Amino acid sequence: MAGATELARQRHRAHVEDMDGVEQAIVELTEEFALLPDWEERIAHVIELARTLEPLTPAERNEQSRVRGCVSQVWLVSERRAEASENLYFRGDSDSHLVRGEVAMLMRIFSGRTPQEILSVDPQAVFGRLGLKDALTAQRSNGLFSMMRRIQDAARSV
């Protein structure tokens, strides 16, 4: 029985590794949340993800990088890097621990992706799959979609 379980895990890992980067990140986040039994632990996990964010400089926390539509202060910066100039990279921050975690989730999904990959994502579907649609208040959901819109706008402008 243990052999069959391990074989299933290996097949699943191979299947996930064959996905594009966006889909792979969504599946991995979905699996992480599925392991957490209740919303308190899921929200704690989102807050824990905030620790993975690269910090923004004080100069990057400006009106141009500020995301409108969020209750909390949120800043998102997009950039290109020489090592993979076809991709967009994002960094972000917030004055709220929970929102910082949401930003970290978005960075895992979208940062380092091509504009085409970014634009292929349906924001509503992603957070439905993650199970966050029902867990977040309407204001938090609006803020999250404002962040996703900003990321997709950056992809459109390339």
Side-chain angles (χ1 to χ4, degrees):
M1 187 68 89
T5 302
E6 183 55 33
L7 182 59
R9 281 190 192 127
Q10 288 173 359
R11 285 184 180 153
H12 176 71
R13 269 194 302 273
H15 174 70
V16 170
E17 289 170 3
D18 287 341
M19 296 175 185
D20 71 30
V22 170
E23 184 63 23
Q24 187 175 359
I26 294 167
V27 167
E28 288 171 356
L29 280 168
T30 302
E31 289 174 351
E32 286 174 28
F33 282 109
L35 294 173
L36 302 169
D38 59 44
W39 283 112
E40 282 183 25
E41 288 191 38
R42 291 177 184 177
I43 295 300
H45 183 62
V46 171
I47 292 169
E48 184 65 29
L49 291 172
R51 296 176 194 223
T52 66
L53 287 179
E54 294 179 41
L56 293 180
T57 66
E60 290 173 318
R61 292 172 179 242
N62 58 45
E63 281 304 306
Q64 185 179 352
S65 65
R66 190 168 165 264
V67 178
R68 308 270 183 273
C70 297
V71 175
S72 303
Q73 295 281 336
V74 178
W75 301 271
L76 289 176
V77 175
S78 64
E79 60 194 15
R80 297 253 177 157
R81 297 181 183 164
E83 68 271 9
S85 62
E86 69 280 1
N87 295 346
L88 281 172
Y89 293 85
F90 297 94
R91 292 181 299 114
D93 201 359
S94 175
D95 61 353
S96 159
H97 292 298
L98 178 60
V99 176
R100 277 180 57 89
E102 292 172 355
V103 170
M105 288 173 37
L106 294 176
M107 300 305 98
R108 276 182 60 181
I109 294 170
F110 294 108
S111 191
R113 313 293 181 214
T114 66
Q116 295 78 15
E117 287 177 302
I118 293 167
L119 294 172
S120 73
V121 174
D122 174 1
Q124 300 268 346
V126 169
F127 288 94
R129 284 176 62 189
L130 293 174
L132 293 176
K133 226 176 181 180
D134 300 327
L136 299 175
T137 65
Q139 284 183 319
R140 291 259 186 242
S141 292
N142 288 339
L144 199 52
F145 292 119
S146 293
M147 288 185 270
M148 290 185 79
R149 237 184 338 271
R150 170 67 76 85
I151 289 168
Q152 290 188 323
D153 286 347
R156 278 187 203 91
S157 70
V158 178

